[in-house]
Amino acid sequence: ATLRHWGARLVLLPDGVPEAELAREVADADLLLMCYSRISRAVIEVAPKLKAIVKYGVGIDAIDIDAARERGVPVVNVPLYAEETVAEGAFMLLMSLAKRVKPLQAQMQRDGWAWPEARWLAHDLAGKTLGLVGVGRIGRSMARMAGAFRMTVLAHDPGVSAADWPAGVQRCATLDELLPRCDALSLHCTLNPTSRGLMGAAQFAALKPGAWFVNVSRGELCDEAALLAALQSGHLGGAALDVYGREPLAPQGHPLSPLYGLDNVVVWPHLTFYTHEAMARLEDDTLARCAEALRGQALTVASHDPRLRAQTRGVRFVD
């Protein structure tokens, strides 16, 4: 409604629209606003009027950034709207593992009550060690929450200098140093060629027996077959996942379908970001970027993703 009020003509296409149809509609577009659909070089190259590509969200993996940069088309995302929100979601998932929420809730629904038995015995978080892979905005929020629960927090993030390292978080130079010390591990890093498959069979094996694993970042950060094997073998004490290499997850016909049958696994439908407050911030920030593009102003890049920071035309950077 706001864009129409500004005089823009909107063409609405479903996510997953075929490339040829998308290219046809974008050919005379001034602005491309997208969420999940792949924006390929072929699409960008047939849009001579395009002033910007705005991702209403964080992840930019579906956009051919190189092609956009070559054409001088700025690309921006909205990185700040849900940093605290997603951290809250990650901590909720960690808590659900420690307190055995999934099997206890199933017991309550089935029988109405649960008496103290060994199978319901839960864990304190206080005194446990949480490992973080990535201490960007979300990782730092997660660290602060864990500290409030008197957890020891360790982290590995080669992209953060010692001078910028968050207080109260012990620095581990390598994953090999981090993993054996973790009672729980939570991923908070971006997906790129270096981080893809970061957690494989060897890394899961390096975790303490019984450790919990939380992923709210990207499914492709893991070798998901190795994750499933570590759960089925009993080496991992549990996993709580909000993201998957193939979405949507499904109880049948999906490589990770066996997760549904495991009491120590919580599967969440990629919705840790989805709150009233976060959606209001997302709308406001997205409209601000659209306004910049339509007015011919430099687009504000708040993300520290090096792919966006490498842009030299039509953008301005803020910390």
Side-chain angles (χ1 to χ4, degrees):
T2 300
L3 289 170
R4 289 193 178 97
H5 177 72
W6 292 347
R9 182 177 69 87
L10 296 185
V11 177
L12 302 178
L13 301 170
D15 272 315
V17 60
E19 182 181 67
E21 182 180 349
L22 178 59
R24 186 168 59 251
E25 295 292 350
V26 170
D28 63 348
D30 297 291
L31 175 65
L32 177 54
L33 185 60
M34 55 79 65
C35 188
Y36 299 118
S37 291
R38 182 171 178 267
I39 310 301
S40 65
R41 177 178 292 272
V43 169
I44 294 168
E45 288 183 343
V46 298
K49 296 172 57 182
L50 197 60
K51 297 176 181 176
I53 299 171
V54 177
K55 163 64 186 274
Y56 52 95
V58 181
I60 56 171
D61 305 299
I63 305 170
D64 191 325
I65 306 292
D66 291 337
R69 190 165 60 243
E70 291 167 17
R71 296 294 302 271
V73 178
V75 177
V76 295
N77 64 351
V78 183
L80 306 182
Y81 78 98
E83 55 189 35
E84 194 78 359
T85 306
V86 173
E88 286 184 6
F91 203 82
M92 174 273 295
L93 290 173
L94 174 60
M95 182 75 79
S96 73
L97 293 176
K99 304 307 179 185
R100 297 191 51 74
V101 168
K102 179 180 177 179
L104 268 170
Q105 186 61 33
Q107 168 70 11
M108 291 293 288
Q109 291 289 345
R110 183 173 55 249
D111 295 336
W113 195 249
W115 295 103
E117 299 175 32
R119 59 179 170 155
W120 309 131
L121 202 57
H123 290 274
D124 294 340
L125 290 180
K128 298 292 192 299
T129 296
L130 172 65
L132 302 175
V133 181
V135 283
R137 295 182 178 97
I138 297 174
R140 289 172 193 235
S141 292
M142 183 73 167
R144 190 193 70 250
M145 294 173 193
F149 276 73
R150 295 189 291 116
M151 299 183 78
T152 297
V153 183
L154 317 175
H156 168 66
D157 191 332
V160 177
S161 67
D164 194 36
W165 197 258
V169 178
Q170 299 178 34
R171 188 177 190 182
C172 296
T174 64
L175 268 183
D176 290 342
E177 180 186 347
L178 173 72
L179 296 177
R181 302 169 62 186
C182 296
D183 297 302
L185 182 74
S186 189
L187 302 189
H188 299 284
C189 50
T190 57
L191 178 66
N192 55 46
T194 302
S195 64
R196 188 177 295 274
L198 182 77
M199 291 297 297
Q203 287 71 38
F204 285 117
L207 286 166
K208 280 185 183 180
W212 303 308
F213 177 71
V214 177
N215 188 7
V216 297
S217 295
R218 288 290 183 269
E220 295 93 333
L221 293 169
C222 297
D223 177 338
E224 292 179 320
L227 169 60
L228 183 58
L231 287 163
Q232 291 174 327
S233 73
H235 178 71
L236 281 182
L241 309 172
D242 186 44
V243 289
Y244 313 90
R246 193 179 98 194
E247 296 181 0
L249 191 64
Q252 291 89 33
H254 190 286
L256 294 178
S257 293
L259 295 177
Y260 286 89
L262 300 177
D263 277 350
N264 61 342
V265 174
V266 177
V267 290
W268 210 249
H270 202 156
L271 287 180
T272 52
F273 71 94
Y274 197 55
T275 67
H276 287 285
E277 297 81 2
M279 291 302 98
R281 290 189 293 268
L282 175 61
E283 182 177 339
D284 289 345
D285 287 357
T286 299
L287 287 172
R289 303 293 78 76
C290 291
E292 291 169 346
L294 294 174
R295 293 168 184 164
Q297 300 170 341
L299 273 73
T300 302
V301 176
S303 172
H304 287 269
D305 189 307
R307 293 170 293 180
L308 297 182
R309 291 273 164 164
Q311 298 179 102
T312 58
R313 288 187 283 176
V315 295
R316 68 180 189 94
F317 301 112
V318 298
D319 290 327

